[in-house]
């Protein structure tokens, strides 16, 4: 790397109390160091913005190391290798890695994954072919597996995971796929664009009543992205041997007090049902299988995906605030450079 590079990055300036505000973030410039032996320099072209990032801004996040004050945030990104001291990842390779929220990243080559952009665009490896798609696939094949003839409900169904999950559920043999989202437009698009049988607008009426009408005989599988009243409604609607996969609980991410759990948990025992946590780190072994199946479905047009895009690193905080308020349809991305 002959010329010195300057990279802009977003740092955590303060830990939010409740809903994050722009002052919790700082845009900074830094010099890009020369790569060491076995390292690469990546010019990030796209970065992912996801709900879990709000949890990582807290000091007491339970399952990961929290973001550090004064340091750049972390998250998935994809970009082009512009300098390399690793034979396995030459200059010009397109790679994914976890040093997002910055325009240039220096990392060990072993921490990057080379992707095939002839199969799908680079940014697809942050959405349907990334951990987003893998989350949907692993939940519905391993954590809370869909069986032939099941009735499946997916919350936050217009989001990155939910919009993919509904289509996967259908491919796995679900007899009916119900999605819920915020607002009439999103609820309608679940049916017209993503193949759900019914789209529920949780803002229009209590979600439990809407679910009872959409699935009068109950549900077999619930993929939970929301928690709160949605999880309570799902437990109440479960049929015998029902399965719930706990992917996220976005309804409580900005809470300043402990969020109470559902008061009907023991109903799971009466239904011989399961409520199982889903953390993607335990399912990376499914990545090759998912890439093979997911890329084939994208290629034949049977798996649709959508992106909401913000332009420029300086818009990354706004993108995260948008995800937390439900402003996105499909995957929220920031295009860099």
């Amino acid at each position: 790397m002959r010329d010195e590079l300057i990279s802009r990055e977003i740092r955590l300036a303060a830990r939010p109390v409740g809903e994050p505000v722009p002052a919790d973030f700082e845009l900074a410039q830094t010099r890009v160091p020369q790569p060491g032996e076995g390292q690469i320099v990546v010019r990030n072209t796209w970065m992912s913005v996801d709900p879990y990032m709000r949890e990582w801004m807290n000091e007491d996040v339970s399952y990961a190391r929290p973001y550090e004050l004064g340091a750049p945030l972390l998250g998935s990104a994809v970009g082009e290798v512009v300098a390399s001291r690793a034979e396995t990842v030459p200059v010009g390779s397109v790679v994914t890695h976890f040093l997002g929220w910055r325009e240039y990243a220096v990392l060990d080559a072993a921490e990057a994954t080379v992707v095939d952009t002839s199969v799908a665009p680079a940014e697809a490896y942050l959405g349907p072919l990334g951990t987003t798609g893998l989350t949907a696939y692993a939940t519905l094949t391993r954590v809370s597996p869909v069986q032939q003839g099941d009735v499946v409900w997916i919350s936050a169904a217009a989001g990155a995971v939910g919009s993919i999950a509904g289509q996967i559920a259908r491919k796995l043999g679900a007899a009916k796929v119900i999605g819920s989202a915020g607002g009439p437009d999103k609820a309608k698009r679940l049916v017209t664009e993503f193949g759900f049988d019914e789209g529920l607008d949780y803002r229009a009426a209590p979600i439990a009543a809407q679910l009872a009408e959409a699935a009068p005989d109950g549900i077999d599988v619930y993929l939970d992205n929301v928690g709160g009243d949605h999880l309570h409604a799902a437990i109440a609607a479960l049929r015998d041997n029902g399965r719930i996969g706990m992917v996220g609980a976005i309804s409580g991410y900005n809470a300043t007090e402990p969020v109470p759990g559902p008061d009907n948990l023991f109903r799971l025992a009466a239904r011989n049902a399961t409520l199982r946590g889903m953390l993607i780190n335990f399912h990376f072994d499914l990545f090759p299988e998912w890439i093979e199946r997911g890329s084939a479905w994208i290629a034949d047009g049977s798996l649709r995906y959508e992106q909401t895009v913000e332009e420029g690193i300086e818009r990354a905080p706004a993108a995260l605030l948008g995800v937390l308020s439900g402003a996105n349809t499909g995957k929220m991305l920031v295009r860099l450079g």
Side-chain angles (χ1 to χ4, degrees):
M1 192 170 66
R2 295 179 180 176
D3 299 326
E4 183 178 71
L5 298 174
I6 301 296
S7 178
R8 296 185 301 165
E9 60 188 27
I10 301 293
R11 298 173 181 172
L12 182 63
R15 298 201 184 278
V17 177
E19 184 176 345
V21 296
D24 295 326
F25 305 89
E26 177 191 10
L27 177 64
Q29 287 191 349
T30 184
R31 289 182 173 85
V32 180
Q34 297 288 332
E37 186 65 33
Q39 290 190 318
I40 57 176
V41 180
V42 182
R43 180 178 63 84
N44 290 336
T45 53
W46 297 85
M47 57 165 275
S48 175
V49 179
D50 302 282
Y52 76 81
M53 294 173 173
R54 172 62 187 89
E55 286 190 282
W56 287 22
M57 296 174 77
N58 296 333
E59 194 169 18
D60 59 350
V61 61
S62 61
Y63 65 91
R65 178 180 295 178
Y67 292 139
E68 296 180 14
L69 285 172
L73 282 71
L74 300 171
S76 296
V78 65
E80 180 184 357
V81 176
V82 295
S84 175
R85 294 188 64 190
E87 293 182 1
T88 55
V89 187
V91 170
S93 302
V94 178
V95 299
T96 57
H97 58 87
F98 204 64
L99 293 184
W101 292 84
R102 66 205 80 190
E103 293 176 320
Y104 287 87
V106 181
L107 65 153
D108 292 343
E111 297 175 354
T113 301
V114 178
V115 298
D116 183 358
T117 55
S118 69
V119 172
E123 63 269 24
Y125 289 91
L126 300 180
L129 297 182
T131 54
T132 295
L134 180 63
T135 296
Y137 183 72
T139 302
L140 297 179
T141 59
R142 177 181 285 176
V143 175
S144 303
V146 173
Q147 299 171 2
Q148 195 74 29
D150 278 348
V151 176
V152 178
W153 176 33
I154 296 165
S155 58
V161 172
S163 59
I164 299 297
Q167 299 173 77
I168 292 174
R170 177 76 71 209
K171 290 179 176 294
L172 295 174
K176 187 172 188 178
V177 184
I178 302 163
S180 56
D185 179 62
K186 284 187 176 181
K188 180 180 179 181
R189 293 179 71 181
L190 294 179
V191 178
T192 59
E193 298 183 26
F194 297 115
F196 287 77
D197 294 294
E198 293 199 41
L200 312 180
D201 174 9
Y202 69 81
R203 296 175 181 166
I207 193 63
Q210 293 189 66
L211 181 61
E213 184 175 347
D217 297 323
I219 63 173
D220 300 288
V221 174
Y222 171 52
L223 189 154
D224 187 19
N225 289 305
V226 173
D229 60 342
H230 286 58
L231 179 56
H232 189 281
I235 293 172
L238 276 184
R239 299 200 284 211
D240 289 349
N241 303 307
R243 285 115 30 226
I244 296 176
M246 300 176 68
V247 174
I250 196 171
S251 66
Y253 286 170
N254 288 328
T256 57
E257 300 289 338
V259 178
D263 61 10
N264 59 347
L265 274 176
F266 198 70
R267 185 180 175 86
L268 296 168
R271 292 298 189 187
N272 194 40
T274 59
L275 176 62
R276 183 176 174 187
M278 198 293 172
L279 186 62
I280 193 60
N281 305 48
F282 293 101
H283 304 282
F284 285 144
D285 61 297
L286 285 178
F287 237 140
E289 178 182 322
W290 168 240
I291 293 291
E292 181 179 357
R293 299 187 76 175
S295 60
W297 289 337
I298 290 173
D300 68 20
S302 65
L303 183 67
R304 298 190 59 180
Y305 66 95
E306 189 162 334
Q307 301 166 162
T308 301
V309 178
E310 293 281 358
E311 299 285 348
I313 187 71
E314 64 277 5
R315 292 293 298 168
L320 179 57
L321 300 185
V323 164
L324 297 174
S325 66
N328 60 301
T329 298
K331 182 69 175 180
M332 177 67 87
L333 296 172
V334 178
R335 180 160 34 207
L336 303 177

